[in-house]
Amino acid sequence: MALPEDVLKAWEACDRIDTLFVLVCCVFCWGIIPAVGIAYSGYTTRSNALAAVMPSILAVAVCSIQWFIIGYSFAYGEGGPIIGDFTYAFHRGVLAEPVGTIPAVLFSFFQLVFQATVCAIAVGGACERGRLLPLVPFIFLWSTFVYDPLAHMVWGGGFLENLGVLDFAGGTPVHINSGATATAMSVYLSYPLFRSRKSAIRTPSHLVIHRPVNSICQLLAMISIWGSWLAFDAGTVLAFNFKSVMALCVTNLCASSGALTWMLYTYVETGKWSLDSCFMGAISGLIMITPAAGFIDTPTAFFFGILGALVCRQALRIKFTDFARRWRWVDNGDTFATHCIGGILATIATGCFARKEVAGYDGVTEIIGGVFFDGNVRQIGVQIVEALVGFLWSFVGSYVIYALIDCVPGFEVLAEDKDIIAGLDDSQMDEERLWMETQKYYPFADREGGVHLD
């Protein structure tokens, strides 16, 4: 029997320590995908708890298939300035050939976890109102026409990378993208154009704002997401060296300062400690550090966390305003306030505080640097262009895809009134939830005076 000599020879060219390091990071990172669903479950009402988890599970399955068929090729194939080509379709030739010092198939898997995580965050825009079935084609099409081209633009040799953007682990492809997508889905559910609008049994409406219902879900999600994010940022180096160690350390510090800032802010206002505030603060810190983890030092990371918590907390107030109620603004998982606003802030701040010295901790990467440490004023403009392109591409693309799916009979994206009132667990799921409602909840704010779940 002939041995696969070419594959084995390519494998011999890979570094074993780097490969093991990235493989372990992949395992840790995978858990963030269902953890996002658990976080959304903590935010939703008790009658929507299981239906809020399910989209993250769909993201794992659909994204894995899409990435195998065409996603990896569109994101990291040679192609043009916006999207890759079909070179790696069906993972043709994606085996042991080194990408850096690790096998191409392992690099592909690590990037798949990125895509699935972004998708799980993004589809949270449909929580408590959107049906699950339309999410299956949406995830596939969104991955193909929104995430993959954006990843190619920033990381795969596209025009933003050639422009000189500094985006270590996804300020734009991850956070601005997911926040803009969730916002587009939420806006469409409030103002549908096609079959959901014409339906006599579906009422586009603003839902009553309620507090997070299950703090245990938030706690479990925070533990998993925080830990997985350390692996995300460290693993993005794709090698086990001092830069990967530094990326892990600044990530944890930024999350910690963000969590403590948000908690103390809440304590000053209310006189009580809040697990929700800890969770939101940590997330805002993790968002801030994502594009900058390979470019900033520890003191800068500390202040990044504080800045992210203060700005995102103020952005969170938008959904509680009369303006939001009047315009049917729904931000169930606070995705716009954290991922979108935080992602834009982080992307621009990276251009201000990036240091070429820190970028070179891996012994390979050379950058011009940012504004304040290296005097590269041009970087601000580059980062702003990246943020604008990322938001517009993600919002418009996601809105169009969601609207087109709504045109297909049987794939109406907005749930029926009776299902929203009863909760999507009853209408969309076939399992029992662990907890039961203790109080009637009517989701439409314009009918029964805005009843809240305590």
Side-chain angles (χ1 to χ4, degrees), residues 40 63 66-67 75-76 82 111-125 138-155 160 167 169-186 229 287 290-291 331 334-347 383 385-401:
Y40 281 130
C63 284
Q66 186 275 345
W67 190 253
Y76 291 97
I82 294 177
Q111 298 305 324
L112 159 64
V113 178
F114 266 78
Q115 175 177 286
T117 300
V118 180
C119 182
I121 299 169
V123 293
F138 176 82
I139 291 171
F140 192 96
L141 294 173
W142 173 88
S143 298
T144 304
F145 297 109
V146 176
Y147 179 85
D148 293 338
L150 198 54
H152 181 80
M153 292 181 216
V154 176
W155 296 320
L160 289 175
D167 197 333
T172 296
V174 175
H175 297 302
I176 297 176
N177 184 8
S178 60
T181 298
T183 302
M185 297 175 74
S186 179
W229 221 300
I287 290 167
T290 300
D331 189 18
D334 302 325
T335 315
F336 176 81
T338 53
H339 292 277
C340 194
I341 298 299
I344 292 172
L345 177 64
T347 297
Q383 300 299 108
V385 168
E386 180 194 11
L388 288 174
V389 169
F391 179 83
L392 292 174
W393 183 274
S394 303
F395 184 91
V396 174
S398 301
Y399 187 91
V400 169
I401 292 170

Side-chain angles (χ1 to χ4, degrees), residues 81-112:
I82 294 177
I83 194 168
D85 54 21
F86 292 90
T87 301
Y88 303 122
F90 291 92
H91 267 52
R92 183 173 60 249
V94 183
L95 294 168
E97 289 75 16
V99 174
T101 57
I102 67 172
V105 70
L106 180 60
F107 172 77
S108 171
F109 183 83
F110 188 67
Q111 298 305 324
L112 159 64

Side-chain angles (χ1 to χ4, degrees), residues 317-333:
R317 298 180 185 275
I318 296 173
K319 75 173 188 177
F320 296 101
T321 62
D322 288 337
F323 172 86
R325 179 183 56 78
R326 189 163 55 250
W327 291 97
R328 303 176 188 168
W329 174 267
V330 180
D331 189 18
N332 291 82

Side-chain angles (χ1 to χ4, degrees), residues 50 58 159 206 253 274 307 337 344 350 355:
L50 292 178
L58 293 175
F159 82 95
H206 175 260
L253 181 59
S274 168
L307 177 64
I344 292 172
T350 299
R355 301 183 65 173

Side-chain angles (χ1 to χ4, degrees), residues 8-9 22 72 90 141 162 166 182 211 226 255 312 362 367 371 393 405 407 442 450:
L8 295 176
K9 185 177 180 180
V22 176
Y72 179 69
F90 291 92
L141 294 173
N162 294 329
L166 297 178
R211 298 182 63 186
W226 194 328
C312 291
D362 58 359
I367 64 171
V371 177
W393 183 274
I405 291 172
C407 294
Y442 200 91

Side-chain angles (χ1 to χ4, degrees), residues 366-442:
E366 294 184 9
I367 64 171
I368 301 176
V371 177
F372 295 117
F373 291 109
D374 299 306
N376 180 23
V377 180
R378 174 183 177 274
Q379 197 63 46
I380 280 285
V382 173
Q383 300 299 108
I384 291 173
V385 168
E386 180 194 11
L388 288 174
V389 169
F391 179 83
L392 292 174
W393 183 274
S394 303
F395 184 91
V396 174
S398 301
Y399 187 91
V400 169
I401 292 170
Y402 208 42
L404 291 176
I405 291 172
D406 194 39
C407 294
V408 181
F411 283 84
E412 294 84 358
V413 297
L414 182 64
E416 297 179 11
D417 288 0
K418 64 179 178 63
D419 294 332
I420 295 177
I421 294 168
L424 299 186
D425 285 0
D426 289 334
S427 64
Q428 305 284 301
M429 303 291 296
D430 191 34
E431 286 89 9
E432 296 290 334
R433 56 189 179 275
L434 181 61
W435 44 82
M436 299 298 293
E437 289 188 31
T438 58
Q439 168 180 353
K440 175 177 169 53
Y441 171 74
Y442 200 91

